[in-house]
Amino acid sequence: MAGPTTARRGEKKSARSGPPSSGKAGKAGKVGKAGSSGGGGAKKPGQQGGSSGSPDGRPGPRVRFRVPSRRTLIIALAGAVLLAGFGTWSLYGSTWLRTEAVKVSGTGVLTVDEVVRAAAVPMDTPLASVDKKAVADRLRAKLPRIKSVAVRRSWPHTVSLKVTERQPELVIQTGGKFVEVDAEGTRFATVAAAPKGVPLLKMAVRDSPGLRRFGADRLRRAAGTVVTALPKALHQDVRTVEVRSFDAITLKLTDGRTVVWGSDERSTAKAKVLAAALKAARDARHFDVSVPTAPAVSGS
């Protein structure tokens, strides 16, 4: 009886050992198959991978934004109101940002003290309340020599004024003094002596129809256009600019030479023609460039 019993036990043992080995092989086969498909297993539908959607082309899960609660909105609004109120108080109510100084730059003839007095910037007031336009208007009204001025707030305590002065291009003699005139024909200052190198402007237009038609300001501006069109070397030779009407402007140069200019139209072209004519006819006394395409030279 020992033999059959032993046989049955062996059969049971072999029967038990067989299936596990085949199960392991099956699992190994599955692992190998999965490894060969992509080295990490196939992704489930809907699973995100990188920046693209799912492998089957379907879009990934939507990102949902959470709407802030009413309490959060109220707290944020209250914080914004408090911050705005603090900023307004800092600008206008506190002593931190008050006007304490005025800085001036760009002056030539004018002094810093003159500009500061004319600007009349209110001190110990909120810097933010300084009216920049009003300051600029006061300066131009009180100091006609100022052509333009840039008014700027320099935080925390300074108002900066950058001045551009008018430059005299002509002078008009009145009695024993001289009135300076800029390139725009603006009379802006009276001085005791004529600036060096600035031509004398003679307005011989008392009974001229051009005076009634164009006005003295327009005729002075025409004279300014003429002199500013001249090259520097030629400008130094001009002694007098005489205006009899809008289209009758004459220059008197050193050594008594005269130039009939005509109107201020095409002044740049006329200046080039005159410079060439002065070099070509050094002994000539009279030049006419009123028609720059047909200049005339006479006298020797």
Side-chain angles (χ1 to χ4, degrees):
M1 293 184 63
T5 303
T6 304
R8 289 192 198 101
R9 291 178 179 174
E11 289 175 358
K12 291 181 180 180
K13 184 176 182 181
S14 62
R16 291 177 183 175
S17 62
S21 62
S22 62
K24 291 180 180 179
K27 290 181 180 179
K30 289 180 181 180
V31 172
K33 186 176 180 180
S36 63
S37 64
K43 298 178 182 178
K44 295 180 181 180
Q47 182 179 358
Q48 290 183 343
S51 60
S52 61
S54 60
D56 57 1
R58 291 183 300 174
R62 294 182 179 179
V63 179
R64 296 183 180 180
F65 295 95
R66 184 178 180 182
V67 179
S69 66
R70 183 178 180 182
R71 179 182 179 184
T72 302
L73 291 175
I74 293 175
I75 293 175
L77 180 60
V81 171
L82 290 174
L83 184 61
F86 177 76
T88 302
W89 176 82
S90 299
L91 288 173
Y92 297 98
S94 72
T95 58
W96 302 340
L97 304 173
R98 313 287 282 186
T99 306
E100 297 179 0
V102 177
K103 181 181 178 181
V104 179
S105 62
T107 55
V109 177
L110 297 172
T111 65
V112 172
D113 289 341
E114 286 177 314
V115 175
V116 171
R117 286 196 302 269
V121 177
M123 294 288 106
D124 198 27
T125 58
L127 187 61
S129 68
V130 173
D131 190 336
K132 297 190 292 184
K133 184 179 182 303
V135 173
D137 291 343
R138 283 196 297 271
L139 283 170
R140 287 192 293 265
K142 295 180 180 180
L143 300 174
R145 186 178 291 276
I146 294 179
K147 182 179 182 179
S148 64
V149 57
V151 183
R152 183 171 58 88
R153 299 184 185 94
S154 298
W155 301 96
H157 303 299
T158 305
V159 174
S160 297
L161 308 175
K162 186 176 181 180
V163 172
T164 300
E165 294 183 0
R166 298 182 186 274
Q167 299 301 317
E169 298 292 345
L170 297 159
V171 291
I172 301 174
Q173 187 170 8
T174 56
K177 295 185 178 181
F178 299 87
V179 178
E180 294 179 321
V181 180
D182 69 357
E184 298 174 353
T186 302
R187 297 178 296 181
F188 61 88
T190 300
V191 294
K196 186 177 180 180
V198 177
L200 182 66
L201 173 61
K202 292 185 176 181
M203 300 287 290
V205 293
R206 186 181 299 275
D207 299 323
S208 171
L211 179 61
R212 294 189 295 272
R213 180 179 178 184
F214 299 103
D217 293 342
R218 177 66 182 87
L219 296 178
R220 286 196 304 270
R221 188 160 61 250
T225 300
V226 171
V227 295
T228 53
L230 297 172
K232 184 177 180 180
L234 183 55
H235 187 282
Q236 295 175 349
D237 288 338
V238 180
R239 293 293 175 263
T240 303
V241 178
E242 185 178 280
V243 179
R244 294 193 299 275
S245 67
F246 178 75
D247 57 354
I249 300 175
T250 302
L251 310 182
K252 291 191 179 296
L253 309 182
T254 56
D255 301 329
R257 293 172 294 174
T258 61
V259 179
V260 177
W261 196 270
S263 70
D264 64 341
E265 297 176 352
R266 303 184 64 187
S267 286
T268 301
K270 292 177 182 180
K272 293 180 180 179
V273 170
L274 177 59
L278 290 170
K279 290 181 179 180
R282 297 182 181 275
D283 296 333
R285 309 297 297 171
H286 304 286
F287 301 85
D288 189 337
V289 294
S290 56
V291 182
T293 55
V297 178
S298 63
S300 58

